[in-house]
Amino acid sequence: MNGRYKSNYSTYVSQYPTIFRETSPGSKNFGVTRATAPNNIVFSSACPDSEKITLGEKDGLNPATSTILGRTVCNYDQDRFDEAQGWGKDISVLSHGELKLGQNIVGFADLSYNRNDREYTAAPLTIGTTSSTSFTANGVGTPFQLILPVGHPDNPFASDRASASYRFTNLRAGSASMTEGYRALAGLRGNHFGWDWESALLWNRSNRDDYYYGRLVLATLNTIMTQNRSLASVAADPNLGHDVLSKNTSQISQWDLKVSREFGQLSGGAIGIAAGVEVRRETTDLNPDPMVANGEIYGLANTILHSGRTVKSVFAETRLPVLKNLEFDIAGRVDKYPDLKSNFVPKVGAKWTISDSIAVRGTYAEGFRAPSLSQIVPGGAQYFLRNVWDPKRCGPDHQTPAPGGGTVTDCAINIAGTGGFNPDLKPEESKTWNIGLILSPTSNFDVTLDYFHIKRTNEIVLGTANEALKNEDRFPGNVTRSTTGLLVDAAGKPIPGTGQLQMVATPWENQGMTEEGGVDIEAQYRLRLGEYGTVRNTLRSTYVQTYKIQQFPGDPMNNVAGTIPGLSDWLLSAGTAMPRWKSSFTSNWSRGDHNVTASVNYVGPVSLLRRYDGDTKYAQPFCHFGTRKPTDAAPDRDTSNPLYETFYPKCSVKEWVTFGLGYTYTGFKNWTLTGNIQNLFDTKAPYDPNYTAGGFNEDLHNPYGRYFNVSARYTF
């Protein structure tokens, strides 16, 4: 869409096939250009006149390059299946009970159950002209590509093979999920010999069933070619569609014992101590539909995992009130995971109350996180990668084939992706420290300022296809290429390792290091209005001063705060958008049974400028999106949005300010009535060109616009 018109056009892929001629005999290439399109694309005219549309510039098509401009097509309205939120139903039950078993012992138990059902609409499935990967449980299956031989009932070309774009509109589409959670807890607590103690058994289980409707069975789909059947007859075959069901479970069984007491005396009071032990059994079972696992379904991949482990932990903490205005907290924890050495993490905190209005506090802590089961045991996820740019076989402009045998297909190729387990993963470790100042100049005004610094090493992240291709020569095992059809140099000699892309592996990996530093600010002001009630104002704000990522050990580190790391530093493939400022302000007025809250939320801008490429700092940063300029420090600017800088000259995702208003009434006995309005002024999420589907960053913003919530609660 060019943004100037509202188009009535959705897509020409419908139950009326569009046929494409093979570019050359045996090539399996059905691509077209503006020049070849009139002779190489045949649009069906079998649809009703009410569904026909002649495509013009008003339909958002580029007249210079469009292969279908000026053609009359059967318009299929797939936009009617779009939804902001799918249908859902939730059930939740919770119970708690306690029973005194003696003078010093109390038994307790919790039981809970919750179920969430969701359904999502989608347009019926399609097939197209390019080859599509299929998966089995153990790897890649036989790919499917629709090729209509000469003489096929749907092939209008007398002497050339063809392919087609086709939609199976008679099949149910969409997906659904059902998630169930069970939780049971039973334990005892009491006091003996001066110790408070508590011990409990916990069982927690989660079940998830995922349904995908109207998926295509490859055996039936292939009869289009093996039996020369028409697309319409295969579409009507009752054996074509299969509703896929995957069943997944995870479970935790745990026993723990905790004890605490006070003893001794320091100048500031009694010493407090607490300790505990914990034994936990984790299991995960992910089961794809058998037909998907056997590679019998078109366009679906597998997620498979069957494993379990036992984790043992010991922890202790003590509070030391050394002086009346000085206290320390010291804690430590030891965790033992299978095949990992025991790990000890300490924590030390202190607070010094200088006066009634000034206090200083600080904390140093270390952290440890073992890889999850899904990250280290055999299994994992398979997926499809579409329109992948191959940097070896396509130029840096993402459009021009590389010399020596590259094709336009290499600039937007569909390949397989495999991610998942990495048995060599190391645990994540972290070191955190902060120092803060607490100010209370008056009884109505408090301010806290905390400077924080976080350093994470061996951070576990999921690899990306972009990273694998960018670092192919550095880590060649993550990219699989054909051993034939290599590019050739100027002398006609084949260049090793330049065959067409087939698969990219994106396993979990240990990232080198991440450092983040900044300031947390919180201020509260209370205003008492006598008979008119009380007003409480609260400001919470975080400023990120430093955000550095070292993707691999030894790589340089640049400050990418306020940016998208993978754009600001082209060396990186990791990291999420990090605005420098996030703030919220709330003002609450209460009087008797009435309570009114007004709020303002602020998310700062995010720069899309390219500044670094590892050790190289660009003398003149340039925007990653828009039209290429001679001054660009690198040739690979994204030109898919050529007018981006025209409309966004600052080259950034704009700040987002939203307002909210809420009211609560408690004047009816046992009742609490509440109404809220979020995003009061219906402020749209700022545009982010990195997200082509929704146009906004889901991690920072949302698409809801103004929305209301009304609730009533009755307390027995």
Side-chain angles (χ1 to χ4, degrees):
M1 299 287 292
N2 61 15
R4 290 182 295 165
Y5 306 98
K6 179 175 176 58
S7 173
N8 294 318
Y9 171 64
S10 183
T11 176
Y12 64 79
V13 184
S14 68
Q15 69 269 40
Y16 308 103
T18 300
I19 310 300
F20 298 79
R21 187 198 303 263
E22 190 173 27
T23 57
S24 59
S27 67
K28 298 184 180 181
N29 186 345
F30 302 91
V32 294
T33 64
R34 180 70 183 271
T36 63
N39 294 323
N40 286 14
I41 307 179
V42 175
F43 291 99
S44 173
S45 60
C47 58
D49 290 343
S50 61
E51 296 178 18
K52 294 177 182 177
I53 185 170
T54 300
L55 298 167
E57 184 181 356
K58 67 180 181 180
D59 300 297
L61 301 171
N62 188 332
T65 60
S66 172
T67 59
I68 58 177
L69 190 69
R71 305 291 294 272
T72 298
V73 304
C74 292
N75 181 25
Y76 183 82
D77 182 15
Q78 67 177 359
D79 299 334
R80 68 182 186 271
F81 296 99
D82 293 342
E83 55 184 1
Q85 183 173 338
W87 173 89
K89 180 175 68 175
D90 301 322
I91 300 173
S92 181
V93 180
L94 172 65
S95 65
H96 174 79
E98 295 190 7
L99 179 64
K100 191 169 185 179
L101 302 176
Q103 184 175 357
N104 295 323
I105 300 179
V106 174
F108 57 91
D110 289 341
L111 290 173
S112 66
Y113 170 79
N114 62 77
R115 173 170 171 152
N116 309 107
D117 291 274
R118 296 290 184 270
E119 290 187 2
Y120 306 96
T121 61
L125 291 181
T126 66
I127 53 175
T129 63
T130 57
S131 177
S132 177
T133 302
S134 64
F135 288 98
T136 68
N138 299 317
V140 180
T142 303
F144 174 85
Q145 184 174 14
L146 179 64
I147 298 178
L148 308 177
V150 174
H152 188 280
D154 290 307
N155 184 357
F157 304 114
S159 58
D160 294 302
R161 297 194 305 179
S163 189
S165 292
Y166 186 82
R167 188 181 302 274
F168 295 93
T169 56
N170 58 310
L171 292 180
R172 179 185 182 185
S175 61
S177 67
M178 186 279 291
T179 305
E180 286 183 306
Y182 303 84
R183 184 178 184 273
L185 174 73
L188 300 170
R189 64 171 175 263
N191 182 285
H192 290 84
F193 310 108
W195 290 88
D196 292 322
W197 60 270
E198 182 178 302
S199 182
L201 288 169
L202 170 68
W203 175 76
N204 199 344
R205 180 182 176 90
S206 177
N207 300 329
R208 182 180 173 93
D209 293 347
D210 288 308
Y211 302 84
Y212 298 93
Y213 302 122
R215 308 307 299 196
L216 305 176
V217 177
L218 281 168
T220 307
L221 197 61
N222 275 310
T223 62
I224 298 171
M225 297 172 288
T226 60
Q227 299 179 20
N228 236 27
R229 296 176 64 187
S230 70
L231 289 163
S233 70
V234 171
D237 192 321
N239 297 312
L240 175 65
H242 175 66
D243 292 340
V244 169
L245 169 61
S246 63
K247 301 181 72 67
N248 309 301
T249 64
S250 64
Q251 183 172 295
I252 294 176
S253 301
Q254 177 180 302
W255 169 79
D256 64 23
L257 171 65
K258 294 174 283 188
V259 297
S260 63
R261 67 169 297 172
E262 290 185 347
F263 68 94
Q265 192 74 22
L266 296 175
S267 297
I271 299 172
I273 187 171
V277 296
E278 179 184 294
V279 180
R280 183 173 72 254
R281 177 67 182 172
E282 305 172 351
T283 59
T284 302
D285 195 23
L286 307 180
N287 300 285
D289 187 287
M291 292 188 69
V292 179
N294 291 334
E296 301 175 42
I297 300 298
Y298 172 83
L300 278 185
N302 295 280
T303 300
I304 304 172
L305 183 67
H306 309 286
S307 190
R309 67 183 176 191
T310 300
V311 183
K312 302 172 184 177
S313 305
V314 179
F315 48 91
E317 182 176 1
T318 183
R319 174 179 172 273
L320 301 172
V322 178
L323 302 171
K324 290 184 177 180
N325 64 342
L326 178 64
E327 64 178 48
F328 290 90
D329 287 295
I330 302 174
R333 182 183 179 97
V334 177
D335 293 292
K336 180 65 178 77
Y337 286 80
D339 302 322
L340 295 175
K341 67 178 182 179
S342 298
N343 183 274
F344 170 71
V345 290
K347 178 181 178 181
V348 179
K351 182 178 180 181
W352 178 29
T353 305
I354 300 173
S355 68
D356 291 341
S357 59
I358 302 176
V360 178
R361 63 186 179 189
T363 303
Y364 171 81
E366 296 183 7
F368 166 87
R369 187 176 79 85
S372 67
L373 285 173
S374 63
Q375 294 168 339
I376 57 174
V377 301
Q382 306 163 334
Y383 53 93
F384 301 91
L385 292 165
R386 304 190 185 280
N387 298 321
V388 175
W389 169 62
D390 183 348
K392 285 193 173 181
R393 297 178 61 90
C394 181
D397 62 358
H398 294 215
Q399 298 173 4
T400 306
T407 68
V408 291
T409 301
D410 298 313
C411 298
I413 189 171
N414 298 334
I415 61 173
T418 59
F421 80 104
N422 178 356
D424 298 323
L425 279 181
K426 301 175 183 178
E428 289 185 8
E429 297 181 355
S430 66
K431 294 182 179 180
T432 304
W433 63 267
N434 65 73
I435 185 168
L437 180 65
I438 306 171
L439 302 174
S440 301
T442 71
S443 60
N444 294 327
F445 185 48
D446 303 312
V447 178
T448 61
L449 302 171
D450 287 285
Y451 179 82
F452 62 88
H453 184 271
I454 305 168
K455 180 179 179 180
R456 295 185 293 270
T457 56
N458 294 327
E459 191 171 5
I460 298 172
V461 297
L462 184 63
T464 66
N466 180 50
E467 171 195 321
L469 292 170
K470 186 185 290 188
N471 297 288
E472 180 179 355
D473 294 334
R474 190 174 180 181
F475 306 104
N478 287 337
V479 177
T480 302
R481 293 181 176 274
S482 172
T483 56
T484 61
L486 304 180
L487 298 179
V488 297
D489 59 21
K493 184 178 179 180
I495 304 172
T498 60
Q500 194 167 70
L501 272 177
Q502 293 180 330
M503 182 189 302
V504 173
T506 57
W508 293 96
E509 59 191 19
N510 287 113
Q511 189 170 277
M513 184 189 309
T514 300
E515 286 192 47
E516 184 178 344
V519 180
D520 284 328
I521 305 168
E522 182 171 337
Q524 294 188 0
Y525 178 67
R526 296 167 294 277
L527 181 63
R528 294 174 176 84
L529 304 176
E531 63 178 306
Y532 297 104
T534 302
V535 176
R536 290 181 174 85
N537 299 304
T538 303
L539 171 68
R540 294 183 177 89
S541 189
T542 297
Y543 172 72
V544 179
Q545 179 186 36
T546 304
Y547 185 47
K548 297 181 178 181
I549 298 174
Q550 184 186 64
Q551 192 154 330
F552 300 104
D555 284 354
M557 299 177 69
N558 297 303
N559 187 6
V560 291
T563 74
I564 295 178
L567 295 187
S568 181
D569 186 348
W570 202 238
L571 180 68
L572 301 175
S573 301
T576 57
M578 181 63 70
R580 284 191 179 271
W581 282 101
K582 284 186 179 181
S583 304
S584 68
F585 175 79
T586 60
S587 183
N588 176 269
W589 172 76
S590 59
R591 179 176 181 267
D593 299 323
H594 304 276
N595 189 298
V596 178
T597 301
S599 63
V600 183
N601 293 289
Y602 173 84
V603 179
V606 177
S607 173
L608 302 180
L609 288 174
R610 299 258 300 269
R611 293 179 170 86
Y612 308 96
D613 189 351
D615 286 323
T616 302
K617 181 178 181 180
Y618 299 143
Q620 182 176 339
F622 67 98
C623 191
H624 179 67
F625 296 94
T627 301
R628 293 188 179 93
K629 297 180 174 61
T631 55
D632 288 354
D636 47 6
R637 181 196 284 243
D638 189 328
T639 61
S640 61
N641 201 330
L643 298 179
Y644 179 76
E645 286 182 289
T646 302
F647 293 96
Y648 299 92
K650 293 184 179 180
C651 189
S652 68
V653 179
K654 292 184 176 181
E655 68 278 356
W656 196 37
V657 183
T658 57
F659 296 81
L661 186 64
Y663 172 70
T664 299
Y665 180 70
T666 56
F668 301 123
K669 184 178 179 180
N670 298 335
W671 283 95
T672 301
L673 306 178
T674 302
N676 285 290
I677 305 175
Q678 298 295 326
N679 198 350
L680 182 64
F681 300 110
D682 198 23
T683 306
K684 292 182 179 179
Y687 174 61
D688 188 334
N690 289 285
Y691 297 83
T692 55
F696 67 95
N697 186 336
E698 297 177 359
D699 293 329
L700 298 176
H701 316 113
N702 66 65
Y704 300 141
R706 183 190 301 112
Y707 61 99
F708 306 83
N709 175 271
V710 178
S711 65
R713 185 180 66 187
Y714 182 82
T715 304
F716 294 94

